Amino acid sequence: TGNHWGYGKEDGPSLWHRNYPVAQGSRQSPIDIIPHQAAHDHSLDAIILNYDHCTSINISNNGHSVVVEFDDSDDRSVIRGGPLDNAYRLKQFHFHWGGKGCHGSEHTVAGMSYASELHLVHWNAVKYKNFGEAATAPDGLVVLGIFLETGDDHRWLHVITDALYMVKYKGSLTDFKGFNPKCLLPSSLHYWTYLGSLTTPPLHESVTWIILKEPISVSEKQLGKFRMLLFTGEEEDQRIRMENNFRPPQPLKGRKVRSSN
Ligand SMILES: COc1ccc(/C(C)=C/C(=O)O)cc1
Ligand SMILES: [Zn+2]
């Protein structure tokens, strides 16, 4: 129906251009990051994350990923510094992951993909009056990308994975208060940055990407809990496991990736 899209054979990333022609645009995401081709830009400042007074609201299954939304009615939780001209407000975060034993990050590093990728989505509330308007502007959004690799248990990720049973089905939502995503950051904030897009429809070319170089470690068991989510709703006959919800790397089309120190 309508602009239905997904990650399957009949509605996956290679077909999205039919309803979203920008899918073949000049600044699409994700991309393959080639570290030694990234320009070290010494003018790039450190990124600053002011998440101390962030207010998480709910966790939901939107049929494509699991999303934690935040109160973005003021500048209580923002990202600034780095390549940014102003502060951007945290709106939501979500994940992309693979099937069992398969990797599912969106960005790749020298052709290597990680098990999963966390996206923290922020919007430019200085220049735009709401998220929807910012989402269509070339400098409207900032997405902070964090790679997840499998290894030790992540000591805080269980707060999220323990809630996933509540949002098993597409369209489900439940309260999720008091979660601060600062606990999901790696120790280093060194990053790559480039101009790109949303990685799901409507694929707007409105994102300044900031991808942290250092992955966080999560256990295979924790990652497995994401795979108990379903793409399908409670009322649907088909039960399709939510996995491999990632878009593959897109053409760089002459863009430069910059590297912080
Ligand atoms: C205005 O509608 C939107 C739909 C999705 C998104 C995001 C945040 C997509 C993505 O994460 O790739 C933004 C706006
Ligand atoms: Zn994403």
Side-chain angles (χ1 to χ4, degrees):
T1 50
N3 289 343
H4 171 84
W5 60 271
Y7 293 96
K9 212 170 149 7
E10 322 266 310
D11 61 5
S14 60
L15 301 172
W16 291 352
H17 67 93
R18 290 179 182 167
N19 284 324
Y20 305 93
V22 73
Q24 297 172 336
S26 59
R27 60 173 277 190
Q28 289 290 294
S29 293
I31 59 168
D32 179 42
I33 297 165
I34 304 170
H36 61 270
Q37 286 179 13
H40 266 274
D41 184 336
H42 301 286
S43 75
L44 274 177
D45 298 328
I47 54 168
I48 298 163
L49 297 170
N50 285 336
Y51 287 168
D52 293 350
H53 302 288
C54 70
T55 308
S56 65
I57 299 171
N58 61 45
I59 187 168
S60 64
N61 174 338
N62 63 11
H64 311 297
S65 183
V66 56
V67 187
V68 173
E69 295 245 56
F70 288 81
D71 173 354
D72 61 349
S73 58
D74 64 25
D75 270 350
R76 68 183 71 189
S77 41
V78 298
I79 184 171
R80 54 191 178 81
L84 308 175
D85 292 340
N86 55 252
Y88 285 67
R89 268 183 210 170
L90 177 63
K91 168 80 179 158
Q92 55 107 308
F93 69 76
H94 62 270
F95 298 82
H96 303 267
W97 59 91
K100 191 165 169 31
C102 301
H103 281 179
S105 68
E106 298 211 299
H107 290 88
T108 55
V109 180
M112 195 271 294
S113 65
Y114 283 88
S116 172
E117 189 171 330
L118 162 60
H119 289 159
L120 294 126
V121 182
H122 309 72
W123 62 281
N124 188 337
V126 168
K127 286 184 69 174
Y128 307 104
K129 60 178 188 301
N130 57 50
F131 176 79
E133 193 190 295
T136 61
D139 60 351
L141 302 181
V142 167
V143 182
L144 180 65
I146 300 175
F147 291 121
L148 280 66
E149 63 181 6
T150 44
D152 300 333
D153 230 48
H154 190 284
R155 62 169 296 151
W156 301 109
L157 191 67
H158 72 86
V159 177
I160 293 174
T161 55
D162 289 351
L164 297 181
Y165 78 97
M166 302 275 280
V167 289
K168 187 180 179 66
Y169 298 103
K170 173 180 177 181
S172 49
L173 176 143
T174 191
D175 273 1
F176 195 71
K177 300 218 174 11
F179 185 81
N180 187 327
K182 222 169 167 75
C183 68
L184 297 177
L185 298 175
S187 48
S188 164
L189 291 183
H190 285 174
Y191 62 89
W192 294 289
T193 184
Y194 77 98
L195 298 180
S197 73
L198 301 176
T199 64
T200 67
L203 299 168
H204 294 319
E205 297 188 326
S206 58
V207 180
T208 298
W209 278 93
I210 297 176
I211 311 276
L212 297 187
K213 295 184 181 180
E214 183 186 334
I216 59 169
S217 274
V218 306
S219 65
E220 186 48 57
K221 191 162 171 286
Q222 288 177 311
L223 213 47
K225 292 188 175 172
F226 283 88
R227 295 190 199 103
M228 53 155 279
L229 296 166
L230 298 178
F231 280 128
T232 44
E234 188 166 8
E235 75 295 335
E236 293 181 59
D237 301 342
Q238 279 191 305
R239 292 170 71 96
I240 307 171
R241 194 191 296 263
M242 187 179 276
E243 57 188 21
N244 297 308
N245 56 347
F246 64 92
R247 188 191 195 191
Q250 300 301 307
L252 198 54
K253 297 204 176 167
R255 287 174 285 177
K256 289 281 175 254
V257 179
R258 292 186 290 163
S259 167
S260 76
N261 297 349

